[in-house]
Amino acid sequence: MKLYHNLSQISFLKRSYAFKFLFVAFIGIHIPLIGILFFVLYSDHIVSSTSILVFSLIMTLLATGVTLLVLNRLIKPISIASKALDDYRNKRKLSVLPTDYEDEAGLLMSNIQESIYESESFINEKQDLIYMLSHDLKNFAGNPQGLAQLILSENPSPSVTHLAELICESTNLQFRYIENFIKLLKEQDQIVKVNQEAKTIVFANILPFINEQIEQRLIDKNIVMNLSLETDEAKLKIDEGLFIQVLVNLISNAIKFSYFDSEIKVRIYKVDSCLIIKVADKGIGFDKDQIEELFKKFTKMSRLGTANELSTGIGLYLCKKIIERNKGTLSAVSEGKNKGAEFKIAFEL
């Protein structure tokens, strides 16, 4: 930036980035000519044509090298602006760019700086508004549920009881949507702010946290989970808490769509330079043309589980988003309806 700054102090170069390049190129082109003139005019001996040719070639090569080095330094503002934009997009890191230059490169840095801060401000304002609306929506949804529970406490007739229970189920689903929406926003924030350095995750250490969240669901449907842990640990660029949440979501999803008295298989292993996690069930499955729909936000494939468990249609979207933001992949396969499904996470190690 020092060369760019110094050239920007010259009045006729201040407002044009192209003129700065032309100015440097002009000087670079004329260095060999000036050198040859001095060589010929001030040489103490008669200069042969061969000597002039050799000297011209040397001066030309030298001038070309110096000019290229100077021009490479002159594009520093472009590389700085590009890096600032890349850092914000990938890491949500705010950079401070110089904004007091008047040429095209200066305008580019100024516009990128302004756009980054406007984008960050918009994101923060949007999230604050959504959190506020979500809180208010939960209050509105809670009012009919409170009234329905009050009706149930009065031991009404079977028909009224049924209607009150339907109201409770409906509001519970609304609560789930709101909670998952807030969860989506929070986890997106976590993903962009997470430390990208690889950390060792010991699988034996995280299993108790997973079991704690899925154990009762397995018991309720009398489902057996067979875990095959074929590797002890792995270095991953993902927060351990997010990794646990993804596994819990996938296993919970398998339980939801598995039949009573069935089996779920979880396998964690390495293949070459990849860590693979598979969660397979023998449940209701899905058709091949439904795979893309599975991972969409608030997917239309949202359906009841085998014990009429409710679904918000956001769990798999969250899982895929978290895995992909942390340089992994999440895929799903099924041989068709009622033939089970398998979800596969893959991380390059």
Side-chain angles (χ1 to χ4, degrees), residues 323-348:
I323 294 299
E324 289 182 348
R325 287 285 185 92
N326 290 277
K327 315 304 179 187
T329 60
L330 173 60
S331 57
V333 293
S334 174
E335 294 182 4
K337 290 183 178 179
N338 296 317
K339 293 185 178 180
E342 179 181 274
F343 289 83
K344 174 184 171 184
I345 299 172
F347 285 109
E348 287 282 346

mmCIF file with all atom_site columns, all heavy atoms in Angstrom, residues 323-348:
data_model
loop_
_atom_site.group_PDB
_atom_site.id
_atom_site.type_symbol
_atom_site.label_atom_id
_atom_site.label_alt_id
_atom_site.label_comp_id
_atom_site.label_asym_id
_atom_site.label_entity_id
_atom_site.label_seq_id
_atom_site.pdbx_PDB_ins_code
_atom_site.Cartn_x
_atom_site.Cartn_y
_atom_site.Cartn_z
_atom_site.occupancy
_atom_site.B_iso_or_equiv
_atom_site.pdbx_formal_charge
_atom_site.auth_seq_id
_atom_site.auth_comp_id
_atom_site.auth_asym_id
_atom_site.auth_atom_id
_atom_site.pdbx_PDB_model_num
ATOM 1   N N   . ILE A 1 323 ? -23.058 -29.092 8.976  1.00 0.00 ? 323 ILE A N   1
ATOM 2   C CA  . ILE A 1 323 ? -22.001 -29.953 8.425  1.00 0.00 ? 323 ILE A CA  1
ATOM 3   C C   . ILE A 1 323 ? -21.288 -29.272 7.262  1.00 0.00 ? 323 ILE A C   1
ATOM 4   O O   . ILE A 1 323 ? -20.054 -29.256 7.191  1.00 0.00 ? 323 ILE A O   1
ATOM 5   C CB  . ILE A 1 323 ? -22.580 -31.315 7.984  1.00 0.00 ? 323 ILE A CB  1
ATOM 6   C CG1 . ILE A 1 323 ? -23.097 -32.106 9.199  1.00 0.00 ? 323 ILE A CG1 1
ATOM 7   C CG2 . ILE A 1 323 ? -21.533 -32.126 7.244  1.00 0.00 ? 323 ILE A CG2 1
ATOM 8   C CD1 . ILE A 1 323 ? -22.034 -32.432 10.229 1.00 0.00 ? 323 ILE A CD1 1
ATOM 9   N N   . GLU A 1 324 ? -22.040 -28.696 6.350  1.00 0.00 ? 324 GLU A N   1
ATOM 10  C CA  . GLU A 1 324 ? -21.425 -28.075 5.167  1.00 0.00 ? 324 GLU A CA  1
ATOM 11  C C   . GLU A 1 324 ? -20.625 -26.838 5.526  1.00 0.00 ? 324 GLU A C   1
ATOM 12  O O   . GLU A 1 324 ? -19.593 -26.564 4.908  1.00 0.00 ? 324 GLU A O   1
ATOM 13  C CB  . GLU A 1 324 ? -22.501 -27.741 4.132  1.00 0.00 ? 324 GLU A CB  1
ATOM 14  C CG  . GLU A 1 324 ? -23.080 -28.984 3.472  1.00 0.00 ? 324 GLU A CG  1
ATOM 15  C CD  . GLU A 1 324 ? -24.123 -28.661 2.416  1.00 0.00 ? 324 GLU A CD  1
ATOM 16  O OE1 . GLU A 1 324 ? -24.564 -27.482 2.365  1.00 0.00 ? 324 GLU A OE1 1
ATOM 17  O OE2 . GLU A 1 324 ? -24.495 -29.581 1.665  1.00 0.00 ? 324 GLU A OE2 1
ATOM 18  N N   . ARG A 1 325 ? -21.081 -26.070 6.517  1.00 0.00 ? 325 ARG A N   1
ATOM 19  C CA  . ARG A 1 325 ? -20.326 -24.890 6.942  1.00 0.00 ? 325 ARG A CA  1
ATOM 20  C C   . ARG A 1 325 ? -19.011 -25.285 7.593  1.00 0.00 ? 325 ARG A C   1
ATOM 21  O O   . ARG A 1 325 ? -18.101 -24.481 7.709  1.00 0.00 ? 325 ARG A O   1
ATOM 22  C CB  . ARG A 1 325 ? -21.151 -24.062 7.934  1.00 0.00 ? 325 ARG A CB  1
ATOM 23  C CG  . ARG A 1 325 ? -22.297 -23.297 7.299  1.00 0.00 ? 325 ARG A CG  1
ATOM 24  C CD  . ARG A 1 325 ? -21.792 -22.093 6.530  1.00 0.00 ? 325 ARG A CD  1
ATOM 25  N NE  . ARG A 1 325 ? -22.887 -21.289 6.010  1.00 0.00 ? 325 ARG A NE  1
ATOM 26  C CZ  . ARG A 1 325 ? -23.427 -20.266 6.644  1.00 0.00 ? 325 ARG A CZ  1
ATOM 27  N NH1 . ARG A 1 325 ? -22.985 -19.908 7.830  1.00 0.00 ? 325 ARG A NH1 1
ATOM 28  N NH2 . ARG A 1 325 ? -24.410 -19.579 6.089  1.00 0.00 ? 325 ARG A NH2 1
ATOM 29  N N   . ASN A 1 326 ? -18.918 -26.521 8.025  1.00 0.00 ? 326 ASN A N   1
ATOM 30  C CA  . ASN A 1 326 ? -17.696 -27.010 8.667  1.00 0.00 ? 326 ASN A CA  1
ATOM 31  C C   . ASN A 1 326 ? -16.954 -27.996 7.767  1.00 0.00 ? 326 ASN A C   1
ATOM 32  O O   . ASN A 1 326 ? -16.310 -28.930 8.235  1.00 0.00 ? 326 ASN A O   1
ATOM 33  C CB  . ASN A 1 326 ? -18.021 -27.640 10.027 1.00 0.00 ? 326 ASN A CB  1
ATOM 34  C CG  . ASN A 1 326 ? -18.432 -26.598 11.045 1.00 0.00 ? 326 ASN A CG  1
ATOM 35  O OD1 . ASN A 1 326 ? -17.596 -25.965 11.672 1.00 0.00 ? 326 ASN A OD1 1
ATOM 36  N ND2 . ASN A 1 326 ? -19.731 -26.397 11.205 1.00 0.00 ? 326 ASN A ND2 1
ATOM 37  N N   . LYS A 1 327 ? -17.091 -27.773 6.443  1.00 0.00 ? 327 LYS A N   1
ATOM 38  C CA  . LYS A 1 327 ? -16.301 -28.494 5.436  1.00 0.00 ? 327 LYS A CA  1
ATOM 39  C C   . LYS A 1 327 ? -16.592 -29.989 5.363  1.00 0.00 ? 327 LYS A C   1
ATOM 40  O O   . LYS A 1 327 ? -15.718 -30.789 5.057  1.00 0.00 ? 327 LYS A O   1
ATOM 41  C CB  . LYS A 1 327 ? -14.798 -28.281 5.653  1.00 0.00 ? 327 LYS A CB  1
ATOM 42  C CG  . LYS A 1 327 ? -14.380 -26.849 5.938  1.00 0.00 ? 327 LYS A CG  1
ATOM 43  C CD  . LYS A 1 327 ? -14.838 -25.896 4.858  1.00 0.00 ? 327 LYS A CD  1
ATOM 44  C CE  . LYS A 1 327 ? -14.422 -24.457 5.171  1.00 0.00 ? 327 LYS A CE  1
ATOM 45  N NZ  . LYS A 1 327 ? -14.992 -23.490 4.214  1.00 0.00 ? 327 LYS A NZ  1
ATOM 46  N N   . GLY A 1 328 ? -17.843 -30.369 5.641  1.00 0.00 ? 328 GLY A N   1
ATOM 47  C CA  . GLY A 1 328 ? -18.243 -31.770 5.517  1.00 0.00 ? 328 GLY A CA  1
ATOM 48  C C   . GLY A 1 328 ? -19.416 -31.917 4.564  1.00 0.00 ? 328 GLY A C   1
ATOM 49  O O   . GLY A 1 328 ? -19.882 -30.943 3.970  1.00 0.00 ? 328 GLY A O   1
ATOM 50  N N   . THR A 1 329 ? -19.898 -33.135 4.401  1.00 0.00 ? 329 THR A N   1
ATOM 51  C CA  . THR A 1 329 ? -21.078 -33.384 3.559  1.00 0.00 ? 329 THR A CA  1
ATOM 52  C C   . THR A 1 329 ? -22.072 -34.251 4.325  1.00 0.00 ? 329 THR A C   1
ATOM 53  O O   . THR A 1 329 ? -21.687 -35.082 5.155  1.00 0.00 ? 329 THR A O   1
ATOM 54  C CB  . THR A 1 329 ? -20.694 -34.098 2.249  1.00 0.00 ? 329 THR A CB  1
ATOM 55  O OG1 . THR A 1 329 ? -20.078 -35.364 2.555  1.00 0.00 ? 329 THR A OG1 1
ATOM 56  C CG2 . THR A 1 329 ? -19.734 -33.261 1.425  1.00 0.00 ? 329 THR A CG2 1
ATOM 57  N N   . LEU A 1 330 ? -23.341 -34.064 4.045  1.00 0.00 ? 330 LEU A N   1
ATOM 58  C CA  . LEU A 1 330 ? -24.404 -34.890 4.620  1.00 0.00 ? 330 LEU A CA  1
ATOM 59  C C   . LEU A 1 330 ? -25.298 -35.351 3.477  1.00 0.00 ? 330 LEU A C   1
ATOM 60  O O   . LEU A 1 330 ? -25.799 -34.536 2.706  1.00 0.00 ? 330 LEU A O   1
ATOM 61  C CB  . LEU A 1 330 ? -25.218 -34.083 5.642  1.00 0.00 ? 330 LEU A CB  1
ATOM 62  C CG  . LEU A 1 330 ? -26.464 -34.778 6.208  1.00 0.00 ? 330 LEU A CG  1
ATOM 63  C CD1 . LEU A 1 330 ? -26.112 -36.072 6.921  1.00 0.00 ? 330 LEU A CD1 1
ATOM 64  C CD2 . LEU A 1 330 ? -27.218 -33.838 7.145  1.00 0.00 ? 330 LEU A CD2 1
ATOM 65  N N   . SER A 1 331 ? -25.464 -36.655 3.363  1.00 0.00 ? 331 SER A N   1
ATOM 66  C CA  . SER A 1 331 ? -26.279 -37.215 2.280  1.00 0.00 ? 331 SER A CA  1
ATOM 67  C C   . SER A 1 331 ? -27.234 -38.258 2.842  1.00 0.00 ? 331 SER A C   1
ATOM 68  O O   . SER A 1 331 ? -27.092 -38.708 3.986  1.00 0.00 ? 331 SER A O   1
ATOM 69  C CB  . SER A 1 331 ? -25.383 -37.833 1.204  1.00 0.00 ? 331 SER A CB  1
ATOM 70  O OG  . SER A 1 331 ? -24.539 -38.829 1.764  1.00 0.00 ? 331 SER A OG  1
ATOM 71  N N   . ALA A 1 332 ? -28.207 -38.644 2.036  1.00 0.00 ? 332 ALA A N   1
ATOM 72  C CA  . ALA A 1 332 ? -29.202 -39.631 2.466  1.00 0.00 ? 332 ALA A CA  1
ATOM 73  C C   . ALA A 1 332 ? -29.533 -40.573 1.322  1.00 0.00 ? 332 ALA A C   1
ATOM 74  O O   . ALA A 1 332 ? -29.534 -40.173 0.154  1.00 0.00 ? 332 ALA A O   1
ATOM 75  C CB  . ALA A 1 332 ? -30.472 -38.923 2.943  1.00 0.00 ? 332 ALA A CB  1
ATOM 76  N N   . VAL A 1 333 ? -29.799 -41.830 1.665  1.00 0.00 ? 333 VAL A N   1
ATOM 77  C CA  . VAL A 1 333 ? -30.218 -42.810 0.666  1.00 0.00 ? 333 VAL A CA  1
ATOM 78  C C   . VAL A 1 333 ? -31.334 -43.677 1.250  1.00 0.00 ? 333 VAL A C   1
ATOM 79  O O   . VAL A 1 333 ? -31.424 -43.860 2.465  1.00 0.00 ? 333 VAL A O   1
ATOM 80  C CB  . VAL A 1 333 ? -29.060 -43.730 0.210  1.00 0.00 ? 333 VAL A CB  1
ATOM 81  C CG1 . VAL A 1 333 ? -28.017 -42.943 -0.558 1.00 0.00 ? 333 VAL A CG1 1
ATOM 82  C CG2 . VAL A 1 333 ? -28.424 -44.449 1.392  1.00 0.00 ? 333 VAL A CG2 1
ATOM 83  N N   . SER A 1 334 ? -32.182 -44.174 0.373  1.00 0.00 ? 334 SER A N   1
ATOM 84  C CA  . SER A 1 334 ? -33.242 -45.102 0.773  1.00 0.00 ? 334 SER A CA  1
ATOM 85  C C   . SER A 1 334 ? -33.641 -45.911 -0.441 1.00 0.00 ? 334 SER A C   1
ATOM 86  O O   . SER A 1 334 ? -33.631 -45.405 -1.575 1.00 0.00 ? 334 SER A O   1
ATOM 87  C CB  . SER A 1 334 ? -34.450 -44.336 1.321  1.00 0.00 ? 334 SER A CB  1
ATOM 88  O OG  . SER A 1 334 ? -35.522 -45.222 1.588  1.00 0.00 ? 334 SER A OG  1
ATOM 89  N N   . GLU A 1 335 ? -33.990 -47.164 -0.218 1.00 0.00 ? 335 GLU A N   1
ATOM 90  C CA  . GLU A 1 335 ? -34.413 -48.028 -1.319 1.00 0.00 ? 335 GLU A CA  1
ATOM 91  C C   . GLU A 1 335 ? -35.897 -47.859 -1.640 1.00 0.00 ? 335 GLU A C   1
ATOM 92  O O   . GLU A 1 335 ? -36.405 -48.481 -2.565 1.00 0.00 ? 335 GLU A O   1
ATOM 93  C CB  . GLU A 1 335 ? -34.118 -49.491 -0.981 1.00 0.00 ? 335 GLU A CB  1
ATOM 94  C CG  . GLU A 1 335 ? -32.627 -49.790 -0.881 1.00 0.00 ? 335 GLU A CG  1
ATOM 95  C CD  . GLU A 1 335 ? -32.354 -51.252 -0.595 1.00 0.00 ? 335 GLU A CD  1
ATOM 96  O OE1 . GLU A 1 335 ? -33.334 -52.032 -0.557 1.00 0.00 ? 335 GLU A OE1 1
ATOM 97  O OE2 . GLU A 1 335 ? -31.181 -51.612 -0.412 1.00 0.00 ? 335 GLU A OE2 1
ATOM 98  N N   . GLY A 1 336 ? -36.557 -47.009 -0.872 1.00 0.00 ? 336 GLY A N   1
ATOM 99  C CA  . GLY A 1 336 ? -37.971 -46.763 -1.138 1.00 0.00 ? 336 GLY A CA  1
ATOM 100 C C   . GLY A 1 336 ? -38.791 -46.784 0.146  1.00 0.00 ? 336 GLY A C   1
ATOM 101 O O   . GLY A 1 336 ? -38.267 -46.967 1.247  1.00 0.00 ? 336 GLY A O   1
ATOM 102 N N   . LYS A 1 337 ? -40.074 -46.571 0.006  1.00 0.00 ? 337 LYS A N   1
ATOM 103 C CA  . LYS A 1 337 ? -40.964 -46.521 1.160  1.00 0.00 ? 337 LYS A CA  1
ATOM 104 C C   . LYS A 1 337 ? -40.968 -47.846 1.921  1.00 0.00 ? 337 LYS A C   1
ATOM 105 O O   . LYS A 1 337 ? -40.997 -48.912 1.317  1.00 0.00 ? 337 LYS A O   1
ATOM 106 C CB  . LYS A 1 337 ? -42.376 -46.154 0.714  1.00 0.00 ? 337 LYS A CB  1
ATOM 107 C CG  . LYS A 1 337 ? -42.495 -44.706 0.239  1.00 0.00 ? 337 LYS A CG  1
ATOM 108 C CD  . LYS A 1 337 ? -43.924 -44.352 -0.115 1.00 0.00 ? 337 LYS A CD  1
ATOM 109 C CE  . LYS A 1 337 ? -44.016 -42.896 -0.528 1.00 0.00 ? 337 LYS A CE  1
ATOM 110 N NZ  . LYS A 1 337 ? -45.398 -42.515 -0.902 1.00 0.00 ? 337 LYS A NZ  1
ATOM 111 N N   . ASN A 1 338 ? -40.914 -47.710 3.254  1.00 0.00 ? 338 ASN A N   1
ATOM 112 C CA  . ASN A 1 338 ? -40.918 -48.851 4.174  1.00 0.00 ? 338 ASN A CA  1
ATOM 113 C C   . ASN A 1 338 ? -39.684 -49.744 4.039  1.00 0.00 ? 338 ASN A C   1
ATOM 114 O O   . ASN A 1 338 ? -39.714 -50.911 4.434  1.00 0.00 ? 338 ASN A O   1
ATOM 115 C CB  . ASN A 1 338 ? -42.192 -49.691 3.995  1.00 0.00 ? 338 ASN A CB  1
ATOM 116 C CG  . ASN A 1 338 ? -43.437 -48.921 4.349  1.00 0.00 ? 338 ASN A CG  1
ATOM 117 O OD1 . ASN A 1 338 ? -43.456 -48.203 5.351  1.00 0.00 ? 338 ASN A OD1 1
ATOM 118 N ND2 . ASN A 1 338 ? -44.467 -49.028 3.533  1.00 0.00 ? 338 ASN A ND2 1
ATOM 119 N N   . LYS A 1 339 ? -38.609 -49.189 3.466  1.00 0.00 ? 339 LYS A N   1
ATOM 120 C CA  . LYS A 1 339 ? -37.361 -49.952 3.327  1.00 0.00 ? 339 LYS A CA  1
ATOM 121 C C   . LYS A 1 339 ? -36.207 -49.279 4.064  1.00 0.00 ? 339 LYS A C   1
ATOM 122 O O   . LYS A 1 339 ? -35.038 -49.561 3.808  1.00 0.00 ? 339 LYS A O   1
ATOM 123 C CB  . LYS A 1 339 ? -37.015 -50.127 1.848  1.00 0.00 ? 339 LYS A CB  1
ATOM 124 C CG  . LYS A 1 339 ? -38.009 -51.007 1.101  1.00 0.00 ? 339 LYS A CG  1
ATOM 125 C CD  . LYS A 1 339 ? -37.579 -51.263 -0.330 1.00 0.00 ? 339 LYS A CD  1
ATOM 126 C CE  . LYS A 1 339 ? -38.553 -52.181 -1.043 1.00 0.00 ? 339 LYS A CE  1
ATOM 127 N NZ  . LYS A 1 339 ? -38.154 -52.448 -2.444 1.00 0.00 ? 339 LYS A NZ  1
ATOM 128 N N   . GLY A 1 340 ? -36.543 -48.410 4.986  1.00 0.00 ? 340 GLY A N   1
ATOM 129 C CA  . GLY A 1 340 ? -35.519 -47.782 5.808  1.00 0.00 ? 340 GLY A CA  1
ATOM 130 C C   . GLY A 1 340 ? -34.776 -46.655 5.099  1.00 0.00 ? 340 GLY A C   1
ATOM 131 O O   . GLY A 1 340 ? -34.995 -46.396 3.914  1.00 0.00 ? 340 GLY A O   1
ATOM 132 N N   . ALA A 1 341 ? -33.888 -46.005 5.837  1.00 0.00 ? 341 ALA A N   1
ATOM 133 C CA  . ALA A 1 341 ? -33.099 -44.900 5.290  1.00 0.00 ? 341 ALA A CA  1
ATOM 134 C C   . ALA A 1 341 ? -31.738 -44.881 5.958  1.00 0.00 ? 341 ALA A C   1
ATOM 135 O O   . ALA A 1 341 ? -31.561 -45.390 7.069  1.00 0.00 ? 341 ALA A O   1
ATOM 136 C CB  . ALA A 1 341 ? -33.818 -43.573 5.515  1.00 0.00 ? 341 ALA A CB  1
ATOM 137 N N   . GLU A 1 342 ? -30.757 -44.300 5.252  1.00 0.00 ? 342 GLU A N   1
ATOM 138 C CA  . GLU A 1 342 ? -29.420 -44.171 5.800  1.00 0.00 ? 342 GLU A CA  1
ATOM 139 C C   . GLU A 1 342 ? -28.904 -42.745 5.550  1.00 0.00 ? 342 GLU A C   1
ATOM 140 O O   . GLU A 1 342 ? -28.953 -42.256 4.427  1.00 0.00 ? 342 GLU A O   1
ATOM 141 C CB  . GLU A 1 342 ? -28.469 -45.179 5.152  1.00 0.00 ? 342 GLU A CB  1
ATOM 142 C CG  . GLU A 1 342 ? -27.033 -45.080 5.675  1.00 0.00 ? 342 GLU A CG  1
ATOM 143 C CD  . GLU A 1 342 ? -26.104 -46.061 4.998  1.00 0.00 ? 342 GLU A CD  1
ATOM 144 O OE1 . GLU A 1 342 ? -26.033 -47.212 5.462  1.00 0.00 ? 342 GLU A OE1 1
ATOM 145 O OE2 . GLU A 1 342 ? -25.468 -45.681 3.990  1.00 0.00 ? 342 GLU A OE2 1
ATOM 146 N N   . PHE A 1 343 ? -28.433 -42.109 6.623  1.00 0.00 ? 343 PHE A N   1
ATOM 147 C CA  . PHE A 1 343 ? -27.862 -40.779 6.528  1.00 0.00 ? 343 PHE A CA  1
ATOM 148 C C   . PHE A 1 343 ? -26.357 -40.882 6.767  1.00 0.00 ? 343 PHE A C   1
ATOM 149 O O   . PHE A 1 343 ? -25.918 -41.582 7.700  1.00 0.00 ? 343 PHE A O   1
ATOM 150 C CB  . PHE A 1 343 ? -28.508 -39.832 7.531  1.00 0.00 ? 343 PHE A CB  1
ATOM 151 C CG  . PHE A 1 343 ? -29.931 -39.475 7.159  1.00 0.00 ? 343 PHE A CG  1
ATOM 152 C CD1 . PHE A 1 343 ? -30.974 -40.316 7.497  1.00 0.00 ? 343 PHE A CD1 1
ATOM 153 C CD2 . PHE A 1 343 ? -30.187 -38.313 6.462  1.00 0.00 ? 343 PHE A CD2 1
ATOM 154 C CE1 . PHE A 1 343 ? -32.270 -40.004 7.151  1.00 0.00 ? 343 PHE A CE1 1
ATOM 155 C CE2 . PHE A 1 343 ? -31.495 -37.990 6.101  1.00 0.00 ? 343 PHE A CE2 1
ATOM 156 C CZ  . PHE A 1 343 ? -32.533 -38.840 6.444  1.00 0.00 ? 343 PHE A CZ  1
ATOM 157 N N   . LYS A 1 344 ? -25.592 -40.190 5.933  1.00 0.00 ? 344 LYS A N   1
ATOM 158 C CA  . LYS A 1 344 ? -24.132 -40.331 5.978  1.00 0.00 ? 344 LYS A CA  1
ATOM 159 C C   . LYS A 1 344 ? -23.465 -38.969 6.061  1.00 0.00 ? 344 LYS A C   1
ATOM 160 O O   . LYS A 1 344 ? -23.717 -38.088 5.245  1.00 0.00 ? 344 LYS A O   1
ATOM 161 C CB  . LYS A 1 344 ? -23.650 -41.071 4.717  1.00 0.00 ? 344 LYS A CB  1
ATOM 162 C CG  . LYS A 1 344 ? -22.136 -41.151 4.563  1.00 0.00 ? 344 LYS A CG  1
ATOM 163 C CD  . LYS A 1 344 ? -21.775 -41.811 3.228  1.00 0.00 ? 344 LYS A CD  1
ATOM 164 C CE  . LYS A 1 344 ? -20.307 -41.723 2.928  1.00 0.00 ? 344 LYS A CE  1
ATOM 165 N NZ  . LYS A 1 344 ? -19.985 -42.281 1.594  1.00 0.00 ? 344 LYS A NZ  1
ATOM 166 N N   . ILE A 1 345 ? -22.606 -38.807 7.074  1.00 0.00 ? 345 ILE A N   1
ATOM 167 C CA  . ILE A 1 345 ? -21.775 -37.608 7.229  1.00 0.00 ? 345 ILE A CA  1
ATOM 168 C C   . ILE A 1 345 ? -20.349 -37.988 6.826  1.00 0.00 ? 345 ILE A C   1
ATOM 169 O O   . ILE A 1 345 ? -19.851 -39.053 7.216  1.00 0.00 ? 345 ILE A O   1
ATOM 170 C CB  . ILE A 1 345 ? -21.771 -37.110 8.682  1.00 0.00 ? 345 ILE A CB  1
ATOM 171 C CG1 . ILE A 1 345 ? -23.182 -36.727 9.138  1.00 0.00 ? 345 ILE A CG1 1
ATOM 172 C CG2 . ILE A 1 345 ? -20.829 -35.921 8.844  1.00 0.00 ? 345 ILE A CG2 1
ATOM 173 C CD1 . ILE A 1 345 ? -23.270 -36.411 10.610 1.00 0.00 ? 345 ILE A CD1 1
ATOM 174 N N   . ALA A 1 346 ? -19.697 -37.118 6.073  1.00 0.00 ? 346 ALA A N   1
ATOM 175 C CA  . ALA A 1 346 ? -18.311 -37.365 5.670  1.00 0.00 ? 346 ALA A CA  1
ATOM 176 C C   . ALA A 1 346 ? -17.486 -36.094 5.878  1.00 0.00 ? 346 ALA A C   1
ATOM 177 O O   . ALA A 1 346 ? -17.884 -35.009 5.451  1.00 0.00 ? 346 ALA A O   1
ATOM 178 C CB  . ALA A 1 346 ? -18.233 -37.817 4.216  1.00 0.00 ? 346 ALA A CB  1
ATOM 179 N N   . PHE A 1 347 ? -16.342 -36.256 6.560  1.00 0.00 ? 347 PHE A N   1
ATOM 180 C CA  . PHE A 1 347 ? -15.399 -35.164 6.779  1.00 0.00 ? 347 PHE A CA  1
ATOM 181 C C   . PHE A 1 347 ? -14.050 -35.555 6.202  1.00 0.00 ? 347 PHE A C   1
ATOM 182 O O   . PHE A 1 347 ? -13.549 -36.655 6.465  1.00 0.00 ? 347 PHE A O   1
ATOM 183 C CB  . PHE A 1 347 ? -15.204 -34.869 8.277  1.00 0.00 ? 347 PHE A CB  1
ATOM 184 C CG  . PHE A 1 347 ? -16.348 -34.129 8.919  1.00 0.00 ? 347 PHE A CG  1
ATOM 185 C CD1 . PHE A 1 347 ? -17.179 -34.775 9.810  1.00 0.00 ? 347 PHE A CD1 1
ATOM 186 C CD2 . PHE A 1 347 ? -16.566 -32.801 8.647  1.00 0.00 ? 347 PHE A CD2 1
ATOM 187 C CE1 . PHE A 1 347 ? -18.220 -34.110 10.431 1.00 0.00 ? 347 PHE A CE1 1
ATOM 188 C CE2 . PHE A 1 347 ? -17.608 -32.112 9.250  1.00 0.00 ? 347 PHE A CE2 1
ATOM 189 C CZ  . PHE A 1 347 ? -18.448 -32.767 10.140 1.00 0.00 ? 347 PHE A CZ  1
ATOM 190 N N   . GLU A 1 348 ? -13.441 -34.645 5.434  1.00 0.00 ? 348 GLU A N   1
ATOM 191 C CA  . GLU A 1 348 ? -12.061 -34.843 4.990  1.00 0.00 ? 348 GLU A CA  1
ATOM 192 C C   . GLU A 1 348 ? -11.135 -34.534 6.154  1.00 0.00 ? 348 GLU A C   1
ATOM 193 O O   . GLU A 1 348 ? -11.230 -33.460 6.756  1.00 0.00 ? 348 GLU A O   1
ATOM 194 C CB  . GLU A 1 348 ? -11.738 -33.917 3.812  1.00 0.00 ? 348 GLU A CB  1
ATOM 195 C CG  . GLU A 1 348 ? -12.375 -34.323 2.500  1.00 0.00 ? 348 GLU A CG  1
ATOM 196 C CD  . GLU A 1 348 ? -11.663 -35.467 1.813  1.00 0.00 ? 348 GLU A CD  1
ATOM 197 O OE1 . GLU A 1 348 ? -10.517 -35.767 2.228  1.00 0.00 ? 348 GLU A OE1 1
ATOM 198 O OE2 . GLU A 1 348 ? -12.236 -36.072 0.886  1.00 0.00 ? 348 GLU A OE2 1
#
